[in-house]
């Protein structure tokens, strides 16, 4: 019997491959639909950096920008309208999968402005607005998992808004996110959620400080320990009661899984983190690489003792992983905020150029 293709096999093992990418031609050319139907694609994530490249790197949005400018929208309003339209179209293409899986998969994520990452009230208001604007049952609103984001996450979930908690780097913060999720679904079990745990950026930051034997291992160890926390949290009487009321587990989503160091395999951050009840969101080049030569096996549970030992060895070197992950969170928020500002500048420049040619 011929083995199923790697991405299909991921789904059979309980991990949903999602695409960390969006652009208008992907949605209109039929390419996205083919990836869903033929490659086992089960969801999509977006962020300000992705939209910056999509809008700034093509003329596909120029007609929309001109029309929205004539309606009097500013660059922020133009971008949000474009993003909502693209995400809505993607949601519609994933809708059959969402229905076929009973609402378990087929989600598309849209992020609140990263400039709101430290403002609880404004984040919650933005999440409500985007949820209503997209108006699709399979949209997820992305909220950064900052300390200030936690109450907004809980509040949105309690209102039945699907949430993708993004920019998680530490196991400790992840535990706080799980608690926010549980409190939210205790008030309303309708909402779906994933917790986006970022992987490769940890190695990018730490590898220069480590010897050869430890390089490329800490990010995966950190994620493996987080998975152990997930399995423990979504068991026992508290969760059993919620599950009986219709709540779903908040799946870990492995993000930042492209390989930054050419010394490592191009599927380094995918192969080691195959696990049931998880998602891996892959940028296009990693998606293509795994489709070509992935070899999925579930090894994450037996990797847990080694992962804990790796993190203990890191601590013995005097490296405070907690401090590292706090820095990564701040850097991640700043990076997305910069992309958002650059995106608005691109939209503004395009709008001005289009107006001048009118």
């Amino acid at each position: 019997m011929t083995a199923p293709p790697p991405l299909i096999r991921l789904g059979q093992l309980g991990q949903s491959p999602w695409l960390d990418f969006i652009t208008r031609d992907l949605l209109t050319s039929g390419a996205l639909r083919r990836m869903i139907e033929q490659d086992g694609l089960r969801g999509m994530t977006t962020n300000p950096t992705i939209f910056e490249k999509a809008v700034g790197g093509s003329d596909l949005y120029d007609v929309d920008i001109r029309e929205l400018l004539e309606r009097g929208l500013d660059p922020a309003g133009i971008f949000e309208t474009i993003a909502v339209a693209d995400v809505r179209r993607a949601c519609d293409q994933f809708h059959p999968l969402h229905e076929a899986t009973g609402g378990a998969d087929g989600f598309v994520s849209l992020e609140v402005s990263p400039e709101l990452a430290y403002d609880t009230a404004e984040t919650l208001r933005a999440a409500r607005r985007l949820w209503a604007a997209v108006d699709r049952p399979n949209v997820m609103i992305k909220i950064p998992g900052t300390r200030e984001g936690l109450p907004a996450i809980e509040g949105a979930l309690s209102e039945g808004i699907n949430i993708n908690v993004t920019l998680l780097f530490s196991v400790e913060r992840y535990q706080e996110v799980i608690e926010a999720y549980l409190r939210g679904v205790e008030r309303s079990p309708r909402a779906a959620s994933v917790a986006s745990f970022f992987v490769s950026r940890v190695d990018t930051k730490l590898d220069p400080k480590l010897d050869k034997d430890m390089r490329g291992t800490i990010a995966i160890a950190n994620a493996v320990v987080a998975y152990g926390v997930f399995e423990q949290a979504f068991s026992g009487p508290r969760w059993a009661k919620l599950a009986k009321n219709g709540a779903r587990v908040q799946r870990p989503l492995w993000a930042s899984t492209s390989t930054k160091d050419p010394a490592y395999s191009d599927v380094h951050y995918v192969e080691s983190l195959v696990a049931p009840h998880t998602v891996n969101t892959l940028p296009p080049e990693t998606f293509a690489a795994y489709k070509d030569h992935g070899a999925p096996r579930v090894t994450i549970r037996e990797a847990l003792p080694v992962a804990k030992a790796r993190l203990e060895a890191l601590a013995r070197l005097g490296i405070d992983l907690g401090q590292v992950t706090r820095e990564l969170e701040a850097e991640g928020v700043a990076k997305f905020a910069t992309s958002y500002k650059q995106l608005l500048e691109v939209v503004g420049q395009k709008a001005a150029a289009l107006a001048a040619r009118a």
Side-chain angles (χ1 to χ4, degrees):
M1 182 180 294
T2 303
L7 291 166
I8 301 290
R9 182 61 179 150
L10 276 183
Q12 293 172 345
L13 292 171
Q15 181 168 92
S16 295
W18 289 9
L19 185 68
D20 194 29
F21 184 72
I22 195 169
T23 188
R24 180 68 56 83
D25 56 348
L26 179 70
L27 303 173
T28 58
S29 66
L32 178 59
R33 199 174 300 278
R34 287 192 296 274
M35 294 172 78
I36 297 168
E37 294 174 353
Q38 300 174 17
D39 297 334
L41 180 65
R42 300 175 72 86
M44 174 180 279
T45 50
T46 71
N47 61 46
T49 302
I50 289 170
F51 271 113
E52 179 200 350
K53 293 175 181 176
V55 176
S58 76
D59 58 2
L60 296 170
Y61 298 88
D62 288 5
V63 171
D64 286 354
I65 291 172
R66 185 195 298 275
E67 291 177 355
L68 295 168
L69 178 66
E70 290 173 353
R71 284 167 45 187
L73 274 68
D74 64 6
I78 291 172
F79 161 65
E80 185 169 302
T81 304
I82 287 171
V84 164
D86 274 9
V87 168
R88 185 185 292 136
R89 185 180 280 116
C91 283
D92 289 344
Q93 294 188 35
F94 277 106
H95 182 70
L97 176 65
H98 186 67
E99 288 282 296
T101 59
D105 237 325
F107 292 99
V108 183
S109 296
L110 176 62
E111 189 160 348
V112 301
S113 167
E115 294 181 330
L116 305 177
Y118 304 116
D119 188 327
T120 301
E122 287 302 318
T123 292
L124 183 54
R125 273 193 280 272
R128 290 169 175 153
R129 186 183 70 252
L130 292 174
W131 172 256
V134 177
D135 193 25
R136 296 294 186 272
N138 56 328
V139 67
M140 279 188 170
I141 306 303
K142 288 177 78 172
I143 296 178
T146 58
R147 190 169 299 283
E148 295 81 359
L150 294 173
I153 291 161
E154 179 183 344
L157 288 165
S158 74
E159 296 175 18
I161 298 173
N162 301 330
I163 297 296
N164 177 339
V165 184
T166 190
L167 286 174
L168 300 178
F169 294 92
S170 77
V171 172
E172 293 73 22
R173 178 57 53 79
Y174 175 48
Q175 290 172 313
E176 294 173 344
V177 165
I178 291 174
E179 180 60 30
Y181 174 74
L182 294 174
R183 289 198 302 265
V185 296
E186 280 171 343
R187 293 157 63 187
S188 172
R190 302 190 315 273
S193 183
V194 295
S196 294
F197 201 88
F198 280 53
V199 185
S200 67
R201 293 188 195 182
V202 174
D203 283 344
T204 300
K205 196 167 187 70
L206 282 176
D207 276 1
K209 304 175 183 179
L210 301 176
D211 62 26
K212 184 178 179 180
D213 290 339
M214 289 191 69
R215 287 178 203 145
T217 68
I218 301 302
I220 289 171
N222 194 39
V224 169
V225 171
Y227 186 76
V229 168
F230 159 75
E231 289 207 307
Q232 185 172 19
F234 290 93
S235 61
R238 183 184 185 187
W239 175 246
K241 181 179 178 181
L242 286 169
K244 187 177 180 179
N245 290 334
R248 299 179 185 275
V249 298
Q250 182 191 49
R251 291 179 294 174
L253 180 153
W254 310 128
S256 184
T257 54
S258 62
T259 301
K260 311 299 191 293
D261 189 331
Y264 308 148
S265 160
D266 54 2
V267 295
H268 179 67
Y269 296 104
V270 185
E271 213 76 282
S272 301
L273 296 175
V274 179
H277 306 295
T278 62
V279 176
N280 199 317
T281 188
L282 310 166
E285 62 276 10
T286 309
F287 188 92
Y290 207 81
K291 177 182 175 180
D292 179 67
H293 52 265
R297 292 187 307 119
V298 177
T299 59
I300 197 165
R301 294 187 182 98
E302 53 261 45
L304 185 57
V306 175
K308 290 179 176 178
R310 288 280 184 184
L311 299 188
E312 290 166 0
L314 185 73
R316 287 196 297 271
L317 292 175
I319 296 175
D320 182 351
L321 185 57
Q323 178 60 32
V324 170
T325 55
R326 286 189 291 274
E327 292 172 4
L328 283 166
E329 179 187 291
E331 290 167 5
V333 170
K335 178 182 177 182
F336 281 164
T338 297
S339 290
Y340 182 73
K341 290 175 183 176
Q342 291 172 344
L343 170 61
L344 297 189
E345 289 175 5
V346 167
V347 171
Q349 291 164 2
K350 285 200 166 195
L354 291 166
R357 293 204 300 266

